[in-house]
C-alpha cells in the first residue's frame, strides 16, 4: 500500500506550519484566530466574539462563558503554505490540555494585550512553551485601546519572560489613531483602511523616517548581539542587508534565542497579514524540528518527519460531533490511509481508520491520506484517548506522556 506513496503528489513538509496561539484570557486569542481565518479566506464572514458566532469555539458552554476552553484544530492556507491552527486553552484550569496541545505544535504566536502587557497566565503558558521548546513570535494586540503602548508591553516581555524581544514593527498612530505599521525589516509602511480591508503598502512617511531608522538600528544591534553572521556584517560598518536580517530573525526564532515582536489590533483587523507573513517566514515547518522520540520496552525510538517512515502519530483531542467521534491526530512520521489498521500503542488495541478529515473553519474535507507533519481528524477509532500514540502495528512506539508535573525551568 505504501510502496506507491511517492507517486502521489503530497505537499512538501516545508510548507506546513503547525501553529498554536497562546494568551492570557481576554488578550484577544479568539479574535486573532477569527481574523486569521478571515484573512486566509477560510471563513467569509467575520465572527465576533460578543455575538457567539466564532468558528473555533465549538462548545456552547465555551460560547456562554466567553473563554476558549477546548482545543480544536483548523487548517487554512496562506501564501502557498498550509497553516494548521491548534487552539490552546488560555485558562489556567486547563493546564494539561495546554500541555497536550503544546506537544503537537511546531511554533506559536503569543498574544499580549498592549495595555496590560504580560499577564500571569501568559507567563505560565510561556514557561510551558519554554519546556516544550516551542519557537514563538509575539503579537502585541489591542494597540487601538486607550493607554496602549508597544514599548511598555515590549519592556514587560523582556523583564517578565526573560527573552530578547526583536521588535520588527513601528506603530503608525496611537490608540484610536492607530492605522498601520512600519515594517522595519523591509522599511515599508503598511496602512489599513477604515473598513478593515487589506493594507496599502508604501514608503515610510517623512515624519516617521527618523524614528523608523533609529528602531531599525536597534533591531540590528539586538540581532547582531545574538547572531554570528549578522554580527559580522554589522561590524563591517554597513547596515544589515534586509535578507541577512530576515534570515537571522528566522534562525533566532527557531533556536528560541529571541522573540520577534509584531503588533496590531485584531479587533480592527490591523496587523493580521504581516503576522501571517511572519509565521511563514520565521516559525519552523515539521522538518525544521527535531525528530520526535518515543519508547518501546524502555528503548528509545526516534521517528523522523518522513512520509516513507512507519506511521506514528499522537492523539491530542477527541470530540463527539454529529459526524461521529473525531479523533484529532498529529502525524509525526509515515502515512495513514483510509482503511488502514493502526495500533493504539498506549492502550494495546488495534483501531481502524475509517475516514480522514482535514478540518476547516466552515467544513471538513475528506482526504485519502495524511502524511508526516499533518494534523487531521480521523473517524473510526472507537476508544483511542487524548494522549494515545497511534502507530503502524509492525513498528510500535509509545510517545512519552506529557510531563505536567515536571519542574518549570527558569530561563533567567
Ligand atoms: P481571548 O479570551 O484571548 O480569546 O480574547 P477575545 O478574543 O475573546 O477578546 C477579548 C475581548 O477583547 C473581546 O471583547 C474582544 O472584542 C476584545 N478585543 C480583541 N482584540 C481587540 C483589539 O485589538 N482591540 C480592542 N479594543 N479590543 C479587542
Amino acid at each position: 500500500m505504501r510502496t506507491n506513496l511517492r507517486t502521489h503528489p503530497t505537499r512538501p513538509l516545508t510548507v506546513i506550519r503547525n501553529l498554536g496561539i497562546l494568551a492570557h484570557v481576554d488578550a484577544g486569542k479568539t479574535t486573532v484566530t477569527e481574523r486569521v481565518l478571515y484573512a486566509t479566506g477560510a471563513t467569509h464572514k467575520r465572527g465576533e466574539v460578543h455575538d457567539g458566532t466564532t468558528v473555533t469555539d465549538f462548545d456552547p458552554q465555551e460560547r456562554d462563558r466567553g473563554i476558549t476552553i477546548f482545543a480544536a484544530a483548523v487548517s487554512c492556507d496562506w501564501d502557498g503554505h498550509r497553516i494548521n491552527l491548534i487552539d490552546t486553552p488560555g485558562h489556567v484550569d486547563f493546564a494539561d490540555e495546554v500541555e497536550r496541545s503544546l506537544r503537537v505544535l511546531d511554533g506559536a504566536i503569543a498574544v499580549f494585550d498592549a495595555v496590560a502587557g504580560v499577564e500571569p497566565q501568559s507567563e505560565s503558558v510561556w514557561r510551558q512553551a519554554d519546556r516544550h521548546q516551542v519557537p514563538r513570535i509575539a503579537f502585541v494586540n489591542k494597540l487601538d485601546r486607550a493607554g496602549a503602548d508597544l514599548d511598555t508591553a515590549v519592556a514587560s516581555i523582556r523583564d517578565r519572560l526573560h527573552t530578547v524581544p526583536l521588535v520588527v514593527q513601528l506603530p503608525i498612530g496611537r490608540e484610536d489613531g492607530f492605522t498601520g505599521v512600519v515594517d522595519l525589516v523591509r522599511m515599508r509602511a503598511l496602512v489599513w483602511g477604515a473598513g478593515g480591508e487589506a493594507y496599502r503598502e508604501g514608503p515610510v512617511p517623512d515624519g516617521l523616517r527618523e524614528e523608523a531608522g533609529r528602531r531599525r538600528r536597534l533591531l540590528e544591534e539586538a540581532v547582531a548581539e545574538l547572531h554570528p553572521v549578522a554580527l559580522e556584517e554589522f561590524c563591517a560598518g554597513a547596515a544589515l542587508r534586509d535578507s541577512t536580517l530576515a534570515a537571522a530573525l528566522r534562525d533566532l526564532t527557531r533556536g528560541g534565542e529571541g522573540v520577534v515582536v509584531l503588533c496590531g489590533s485584531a479587533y480592527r483587523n490591523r496587523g493580521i497579514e504581516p503576522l501571517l507573513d511572519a509565521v511563514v517566514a520565521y516559525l519552523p515547518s515539521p522538518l525544521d524540528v527535531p525528530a520526535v522520540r518515543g519508547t518501546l520496552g524502555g528503548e528509545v525510538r526516534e521517528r523522523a518527519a518522513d512520509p516513507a517512515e512507519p506511521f506514528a502519530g499522537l492523539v491530542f483531542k477527541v470530540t463527539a460531533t454529529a459526524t461521529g467521534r473525531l479523533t484529532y491526530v498529529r502525524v509525526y512520521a509515515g502515512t495513514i490511509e483510509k482503511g488502514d489498521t493502526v495500533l493504539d500503542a498506549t492502550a494495546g488495541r488495534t483501531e481502524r481508520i475509517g475516514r480522514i478529515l482535514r478540518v476547516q473553519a466552515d467544513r471538513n474535507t475528506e482526504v485519502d491520506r495524511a502524511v508526516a507533519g499533518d494534523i487531521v481528524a480521523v473517524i473510526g477509532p472507537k476508544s483511542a484517548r487524548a494522549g494515545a500514540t497511534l502507530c503502524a502495528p509492525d513498528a510500535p512506539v509509545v510517545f512519552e506522556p506529557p510531563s505536567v508535573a515536571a519542574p518549570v525551568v527558569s530561563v533567567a
Side-chain angles (χ1 to χ4, degrees):
M1 179 171 51
R2 277 184 199 83
T3 46
N4 65 351
L5 176 75
R6 289 180 188 285
T7 64
H8 292 294
T10 51
R11 281 178 185 238
L13 300 184
T14 49
V15 302
I16 296 179
R17 296 288 179 277
N18 291 319
L19 179 73
I21 300 184
L22 315 175
H24 185 98
V25 168
D26 253 18
K29 188 179 63 180
T30 311
T31 312
V32 170
T33 305
E34 284 300 327
R35 298 308 192 248
V36 163
L37 294 176
Y38 182 74
T40 57
T43 53
H44 297 290
K45 180 169 88 64
R46 252 187 275 161
E48 298 294 345
V49 173
H50 54 77
D51 66 12
T53 60
T54 58
V55 179
T56 42
D57 288 355
F58 292 121
D59 192 87
Q61 183 200 5
E62 199 170 337
R63 286 184 195 179
D64 293 347
R65 292 173 59 177
I67 57 170
T68 309
I69 301 174
F70 298 108
V74 183
S75 298
C76 55
D77 290 293
W78 181 255
D79 194 20
H81 289 65
R82 167 158 307 138
I83 296 175
N84 295 317
L85 210 52
I86 298 112
D87 194 14
T88 321
H91 202 274
V92 76
D93 291 350
F94 300 92
D96 52 349
E97 197 156 345
V98 175
E99 198 84 22
R100 209 148 46 217
S101 37
L102 284 174
R103 292 178 78 196
V104 301
L105 306 175
D106 299 321
I109 301 171
V111 178
F112 301 97
D113 181 321
V115 178
V118 175
E119 295 169 273
Q121 282 160 30
S122 21
E123 204 172 332
S124 56
V125 177
W126 188 272
R127 301 262 171 264
Q128 282 176 303
D130 276 341
R131 265 205 337 263
H132 286 269
Q133 297 180 322
V134 176
R136 273 146 281 169
I137 57 181
F139 183 70
V140 176
N141 187 34
K142 304 198 186 184
L143 227 59
D144 60 294
R145 277 186 67 189
D149 182 51
L150 178 62
D151 292 340
T152 314
V154 167
S156 81
I157 290 173
R158 179 187 295 110
D159 297 342
R160 295 189 57 179
L161 304 179
H162 309 291
T163 185
V164 182
L166 303 164
V167 184
V168 297
Q169 293 174 338
L170 165 67
I172 301 176
R174 286 186 68 86
E175 300 179 347
D176 222 17
F178 168 69
T179 55
V181 295
V182 175
D183 173 344
L184 297 172
V185 179
R186 296 187 303 127
M187 284 311 237
R188 301 281 289 167
L190 317 178
V191 179
W192 282 267
E197 59 269 25
Y199 64 80
R200 273 178 296 112
E201 185 178 322
V204 179
D206 284 346
L208 283 177
R209 212 167 281 164
E210 203 180 306
E211 181 62 7
R214 191 179 74 79
R215 297 207 175 217
R216 162 77 182 221
R217 198 74 186 163
L218 285 175
L219 174 62
E220 291 183 11
E221 277 169 20
V223 166
E225 210 159 285
L226 297 167
H227 197 278
V229 174
L231 178 66
E232 205 172 299
E233 207 167 289
F234 195 69
C235 287
L240 285 191
R241 273 174 298 146
D242 294 357
S243 57
T244 307
L245 183 56
L249 289 169
R250 183 199 60 210
D251 293 349
L252 297 174
T253 302
R254 293 181 182 180
E257 292 155 88
V259 170
V260 166
V261 180
L262 301 101
C263 62
S265 162
Y267 188 71
R268 296 203 180 168
N269 216 20
R270 289 172 188 170
I272 299 300
E273 302 96 329
L275 179 63
L276 285 163
D277 289 340
V279 163
V280 164
Y282 306 135
L283 290 176
S285 80
L287 266 192
D288 302 314
V289 297
V292 67
R293 304 181 104 188
T295 56
L296 190 74
E299 239 176 75
V300 174
R301 309 261 162 124
E302 278 202 350
R303 289 286 184 268
D306 179 349
E309 284 251 317
F311 163 67
L314 184 78
V315 175
F316 64 96
K317 177 86 185 171
V318 178
T319 59
T321 70
T323 325
R325 189 176 194 269
L326 290 189
T327 303
Y328 285 85
V329 181
R330 159 76 196 250
V331 183
Y332 281 105
T335 302
I336 38 168
E337 298 192 348
K338 226 159 67 169
D340 275 359
T341 296
V342 297
L343 176 68
D344 174 346
T346 309
R349 269 189 299 259
T350 55
E351 296 271 20
R352 204 178 128 78
I353 305 297
R355 296 161 67 198
I356 303 175
L357 305 176
R358 190 167 304 292
V359 178
Q360 283 142 312
D362 50 357
R363 64 186 183 283
N364 297 337
T365 308
E366 195 157 343
V367 294
D368 291 334
R369 69 184 58 77
V371 301
D374 264 340
I375 288 194
V376 289
V378 298
I379 296 178
K382 292 193 174 62
S383 47
R385 295 179 178 211
T389 305
L390 298 182
C391 58
D394 55 355
V397 63
V398 180
F399 298 134
E400 294 114 46
S403 49
V404 180
V408 174
V409 178
S410 169
V411 289

